[in-house]
């Protein structure tokens, strides 16, 4: 056979040395997932720290409803974010096709679950409302038992929805400390509500933690609706969703688009890696 022309040999060598893997795509995936990896690690650490502070690991049996425990929600949300961020970050950096495939699969499963929950939530609105009511009842019953749940319900009532109870202030009769019958055993909070039910005063600098005492008593000296919120959190939550439907939908669409882009980028990077391997092979 005639010897190859030197220029053809140089051309083939140049083609072999040129990488098929896009550095831009590789480091975009790496950069975004480093952020999510560290975010997931931070959230996971906060959840574990909260459980440690409550000595939950030694008293798992005392958890009344683990699915509604804020620290547990932090733990599983942080763990999921950490795993997805890890597979995307390391898979892109090391150009590992198996990790990139796992990353794309995790994102696809998460996207499918989100879409399924959204569709089912729209179809079974009454069931969702029933579950929300049950969960809130559990929060009320165990209000003094778990500081995390207490802080969460205080934030919902005071900081977010400006409401009181599920349907209204009388729902706090389900809590042993706020039940009107507790007055017989000396509970100062009997026939009252938590301070987070109280409406803020114009000249108030420090919140009065006793503002909800006795407000549900029949002999309360003034109209209690001037002191506390009389709207239930269930109705307040429905009104909040109706008012913020467009922003909520926009956030959901933006998250879905980011997940779809993540899947496409991971698959494109895998294709580049396989093309590079074929050149070497």
């Amino acid at each position: 056979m005639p010897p190859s022309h030197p220029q053809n040999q140089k051309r083939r060598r140049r083609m072999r040395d040129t990488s098929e893997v896009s550095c831009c795509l590789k480091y975009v995936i790496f950069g975004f997932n480093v952020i999510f990896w560290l975010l997931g690690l931070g959230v996971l650490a906060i959840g574990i720290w909260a459980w440690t502070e409550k000595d939950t690991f030694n008293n798992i049996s005392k958890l009344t409803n683990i699915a509604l425990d804020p620290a547990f929600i932090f733990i599983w949300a942080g763990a999921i974010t950490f795993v997805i961020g890890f597979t995307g970050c390391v898979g892109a950096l090391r150009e590992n096709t198996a990790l990139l495939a796992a990353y794309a699969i995790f994102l696809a499963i998460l996207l499918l679950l989100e879409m399924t929950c959204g569709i089912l939530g729209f179809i079974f609105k009454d069931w969702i409302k029933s579950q929300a009511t049950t969960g809130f009842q559990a929060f009320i019953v165990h209000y003094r038992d778990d500081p995390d749940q207490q802080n969460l319900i205080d934030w919902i009532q005071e900081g977010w929805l400006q409401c009181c109870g599920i349907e209204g202030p009388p729902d706090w009769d389900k809590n042993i400390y706020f039940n009107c019958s507790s007055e017989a055993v000396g509970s100062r909070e009997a026939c009252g509500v938590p301070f987070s039910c109280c409406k803020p005063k114009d000249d108030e600098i420090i919140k009065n933690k006793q503002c909800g005492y006795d407000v549900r008593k029949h002999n309360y000296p003034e109209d209690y609706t001037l002191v506390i919120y009389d709207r239930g959190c269930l109705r307040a939550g429905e009104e909040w969703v109706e008012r913020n439907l467009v922003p909520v939908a926009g956030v959901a669409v933006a998250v879905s688009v980011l997940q779809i882009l993540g899947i496409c980028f991971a698959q494109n990077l895998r294709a580049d890696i396989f093309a590079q391997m074929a050149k070497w092979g």
Side-chain angles (χ1 to χ4, degrees):
M1 293 179 63
S4 299
H5 195 278
Q7 289 185 348
N8 292 336
Q9 291 179 343
K10 289 182 180 179
R11 189 179 297 112
R12 281 196 295 268
R13 190 180 302 115
R14 194 181 302 115
M15 290 176 63
R16 189 168 58 249
D17 294 340
T18 302
S19 176
E20 294 287 339
V21 178
S22 169
C23 284
C24 179
L25 182 60
K26 172 181 175 178
Y27 286 106
V28 163
I29 296 174
F30 172 76
F32 273 105
N33 283 283
V34 163
I35 296 171
F36 286 114
W37 187 13
L38 295 175
L39 179 64
L41 182 62
V43 172
L44 179 61
I46 290 172
I48 293 174
W49 170 79
W51 264 23
T52 304
E53 286 292 301
K54 295 189 296 183
D55 200 27
T56 304
F57 291 105
N58 296 324
N59 299 281
I60 294 291
S61 60
K62 292 185 178 181
L63 282 175
T64 53
N65 195 336
I66 191 170
L68 295 177
D69 184 58
F72 179 70
I73 294 173
F74 269 71
I75 288 173
W76 66 256
I80 291 173
T81 307
F82 176 83
V83 170
I84 293 176
F86 175 82
T87 54
C89 172
V90 178
L93 184 64
R94 303 297 299 172
E95 297 181 9
N96 187 304
T97 56
L99 285 177
L100 287 172
Y103 172 70
I105 291 170
F106 286 150
L107 285 182
I109 292 173
L110 192 61
L111 179 62
L112 186 61
L113 287 174
E114 290 168 357
M115 292 175 63
T116 302
C117 290
I119 294 170
L120 292 179
F122 181 77
I123 296 174
F124 300 104
K125 287 186 288 187
D126 292 337
W127 182 83
I128 296 295
K129 188 184 296 186
S130 172
Q131 293 302 305
T133 300
T134 302
F136 211 93
Q137 283 178 345
F139 282 161
I140 288 177
V141 171
H142 301 287
Y143 178 74
R144 292 296 188 202
D145 302 336
D146 188 325
D148 289 335
Q149 291 189 15
Q150 180 176 323
N151 291 334
L152 178 60
I153 198 170
D154 284 339
W155 173 75
I156 291 173
Q157 292 190 143
E158 181 182 22
W160 181 23
L161 297 176
Q162 289 80 51
C163 58
C164 188
I166 304 167
E167 301 291 345
D171 290 322
W172 279 99
D173 222 40
K174 296 181 176 69
N175 182 277
I176 188 173
Y177 298 98
F178 295 100
N179 189 290
C180 290
S181 63
S182 298
E183 188 175 13
V185 294
S187 174
R188 186 63 188 86
E189 295 175 317
C191 260
V193 293
F195 73 92
S196 54
C197 283
C198 297
K199 295 179 178 179
K201 296 180 180 179
D202 294 335
D203 56 346
E204 189 176 54
I205 300 175
I206 300 175
K207 186 89 173 188
N208 178 13
K209 300 293 184 179
Q210 300 180 355
C211 58
Y213 285 8
D214 303 327
V215 293
R216 292 189 295 114
K217 286 184 176 180
H218 296 297
N219 59 351
Y220 191 67
E222 60 180 310
D223 183 4
Y224 76 86
T225 60
L226 300 175
V227 180
I228 64 172
Y229 301 112
D230 62 335
R231 181 178 60 165
C233 292
L234 194 62
R235 182 162 62 90
E238 291 176 339
E239 292 175 356
W240 184 89
V241 171
E242 291 173 0
R243 288 196 310 270
N244 298 277
L245 190 58
V246 173
V248 169
V251 170
V253 170
V255 170
S256 300
V257 169
L258 286 175
Q259 289 172 330
I260 292 171
L261 287 175
I263 295 169
C264 294
F265 286 173
Q267 291 299 93
N268 284 346
L269 185 56
R270 287 184 73 232
D272 289 350
I273 295 169
F274 283 127
Q276 184 67 38
M277 292 168 65
K279 284 177 62 175
W280 289 340

